[in-house]
Amino acid sequence: MTTKEVRLADGYSLALAGEEDIRTLIQFIHSPSFYQNALSYMNPLRDDNEYSDELLYRAKLFNYSEEFFLLKDNENRVKGVVSVLLPTQKKSTSCSFGLLSLDEAYLEAAWGMVKEVLPEIAVWDVSKIKFHGILQKHDRITELLEQMEFSKEGIFKQEIYHHDIEIVSYLY
């Protein structure tokens, strides 16, 4: 696994999660802090149970099917996460956001790291990263991503559990 870390001006850091981060990552995702961040998201195509078992996290990391980028404070505590689901089908070159929980102030820095590191660590070629947002629930995240060079691909009516889904994507 590749180790990457970026120090931010306020003492926080962004780091690509490794095996040693799994337990603290699970604790963060299942804590109230995950949903207390200004921006919180779980891909509506995913099942909550995927993020409840340590073995599943290990499988995701070692099978290169999902990568986790962690926001940590100056005491090394997890304060945010962005995960990206990598293509697992040989012909696919499209990734998707899996999880996102951050204060708005850190989204641009987190996206910059994801954008830079993902092509280096993905097993297959990556051509784009998609965000599947539920209309009205994830509008703020979608708006911020569009300010960071994401383009609207479309709105899919009653796509998931009768919710309308808006997809925005970043093309490499």
Side-chain angles (χ1 to χ4, degrees), residues 49-114:
N49 293 329
E50 282 185 53
Y51 299 101
S52 62
D53 184 339
E54 186 176 330
L55 188 58
L56 293 174
Y57 282 92
R58 291 183 189 284
K60 289 171 182 285
L61 288 175
F62 290 104
N63 290 327
Y64 297 101
S65 63
E66 188 165 3
E67 293 289 349
F68 298 87
F69 297 83
L70 306 179
L71 175 68
K72 296 180 179 181
D73 68 11
N74 55 3
E75 295 178 20
N76 214 32
R77 294 176 299 208
V78 175
K79 296 296 184 179
V81 63
V82 176
S83 79
V84 178
L85 303 158
L86 300 169
T88 55
Q89 302 298 317
K90 190 172 184 176
K91 294 182 181 182
S92 177
T93 59
S94 177
C95 297
S96 297
F97 282 92
L99 299 172
L100 189 147
S101 174
L102 294 169
D103 282 330
E104 214 173 282
Y106 295 105
L107 182 61
E108 190 169 354
W111 166 240
M113 183 177 190
V114 169

Side-chain angles (χ1 to χ4, degrees), residues 13-168:
S13 64
L14 289 162
L16 181 62
E19 182 179 8
E20 69 281 359
D21 297 306
I22 291 174
R23 288 196 176 115
T24 56
L25 175 59
I26 293 170
Q27 288 171 353
F28 175 75
I29 290 171
H30 293 285
S31 74
S33 298
F34 183 87
Y35 292 102
Q36 289 171 352
N37 276 326
L39 306 174
S40 67
Y41 165 84
M42 181 179 291
N43 187 314
L45 298 170
R46 310 308 284 190
D47 185 349
D48 292 357
N49 293 329
E50 282 185 53
Y51 299 101
S52 62
D53 184 339
E54 186 176 330
L55 188 58
L56 293 174
Y57 282 92
R58 291 183 189 284
K60 289 171 182 285
L61 288 175
F62 290 104
N63 290 327
Y64 297 101
S65 63
E66 188 165 3
E67 293 289 349
F68 298 87
F69 297 83
L70 306 179
L71 175 68
K72 296 180 179 181
D73 68 11
N74 55 3
E75 295 178 20
N76 214 32
R77 294 176 299 208
V78 175
K79 296 296 184 179
V81 63
V82 176
S83 79
V84 178
L85 303 158
L86 300 169
T88 55
Q89 302 298 317
K90 190 172 184 176
K91 294 182 181 182
S92 177
T93 59
S94 177
C95 297
S96 297
F97 282 92
L99 299 172
L100 189 147
S101 174
L102 294 169
D103 282 330
E104 214 173 282
Y106 295 105
L107 182 61
E108 190 169 354
W111 166 240
M113 183 177 190
V114 169
K115 181 171 71 170
E116 178 186 328
V117 171
L118 204 62
E120 296 175 24
I121 61 175
V123 175
W124 304 113
D125 185 35
V126 173
S127 63
K128 72 176 173 178
I129 300 176
K130 298 186 290 187
F131 178 81
H132 299 84
I134 296 175
L135 280 181
Q136 298 174 342
K137 182 176 181 182
H138 300 122
D139 289 353
R140 181 64 182 150
I141 300 171
T142 301
E143 177 186 321
L144 292 168
L145 292 173
E146 286 178 329
Q147 293 171 16
M148 291 183 265
E149 301 180 30
F150 279 69
S151 300
K152 183 184 281 192
E153 285 199 15
I155 295 174
F156 300 86
K157 297 290 187 182
Q158 298 190 22
E159 184 76 8
I160 300 170
Y161 292 120
H162 302 285
H163 294 289
D164 297 342
I165 302 296
E166 181 175 17
I167 297 177
V168 295

